[in-house]
Amino acid sequence: MTARKTAVRPTKTKTTAKKATKKVSTKRMASKKKTAKAKAKPEVILTDATTDELWVLYRAEFDKVGRDGSDHLGDMRNVLMERHLPLVRYHAERLQQTLPKSIELDDLISAGQFGLMDAIRGFDPDRGYKFKTYCSTRIRGAILDQLRSQDWVPRLVRLKATKIERMYQKLMGEFGREPTHSELAQHLDLEHDELVKEMEGAKAKAMYSLSEKWDDGDDDKDIEKVEILADRKSVNPVDTIQQRDALDMITSSLTKKERLIILMYYYEGLTMREIGEIMELTESRVCQIHSNVMARLKAQLDRAQGAE
């Protein structure tokens, strides 16, 4: 009897442990569901709330938790960001129209998003003005700050160039013609030499990308600027062909020795002594052959001109 009792007790202990484990797991699942529901509630409220209601909730949460923030505050900030992203794109596209084509729209939008984040953090609805008006200034300012940081020309140079250009356009509108240097200097309160110096210093150099696409009106062709850039130091192939044809025509009646002397003297730039050393001739003999060849070629040209 004692052995049977001891055999039954472990079974009861295992059954009790299993029940306790089930209760604990059930409680954990219930707590997880409650937490998930609690997290889901703010999302439903944020997506259904109007922008004005969001600002009220955001300022209340911000005053409660401060700048350290909370998950709920971050969720509200993200919703506000998403609702005002079209405004960032609008200002980025407006500014891109006045910039070179090498400036990417995505870079401007990225800089404007940082301005939008700063505007959300610093906006105070109690001051009585709309957030759209406030954030537009911050967005444009962030984009312009990003452009200035990438500009290698000093800001003072840009300001001088802008001042001169504005006065130039103003006088052109008043006079109906291009203003002279003296008129421009007079309206800028500068001497003539000072104006010339200012204009030279205000000539801000621009940088262009050779990989930028060339707009030739044909959408089917994708051409880069580097492919159509002229190399002014290169030799014109047409001139090279013409010179070669003229050389073949002139030297066609010459012997091999005479042809070599003409080529080495006029095309290779060698002296008479160097040509004599190469051809194992004296300098005087090379000079004599050269003189005879030139006399014959001159007579040939004279006959050709007389025939014309």
Side-chain angles (χ1 to χ4, degrees), residues 204-246:
K205 305 298 182 182
M207 297 180 67
Y208 299 95
S209 174
L210 294 179
S211 60
E212 184 179 344
K213 304 303 179 183
W214 175 260
D215 186 11
D216 57 350
D218 191 355
D219 296 335
D220 297 334
K221 295 182 179 179
D222 194 11
I223 303 176
E224 295 182 353
K225 287 185 176 180
V226 68
E227 298 178 9
I228 60 173
L229 187 64
D231 186 3
R232 302 185 183 276
K233 295 183 180 180
S234 64
V235 180
N236 191 346
V238 177
D239 295 340
T240 304
I241 294 173
Q242 291 178 351
Q243 291 176 3
R244 186 177 61 190
D245 293 341

Side-chain angles (χ1 to χ4, degrees), residues 46 54 57-58 61 72-80:
L46 294 180
L54 271 175
L57 294 173
Y58 179 81
E61 185 71 16
H72 188 36
L73 185 67
D75 294 337
M76 287 188 287
R77 186 186 298 115
N78 293 336
V79 175
L80 289 171

Side-chain angles (χ1 to χ4, degrees), residues 22 45 79 132 155 173 182 192 202 222 224 257 266 303:
K22 287 182 180 180
I45 295 174
V79 175
K132 184 177 180 180
R155 187 177 181 183
S182 59
H192 180 74
D222 194 11
E224 295 182 353
K257 183 183 296 185
Y266 288 102
R303 287 195 301 271

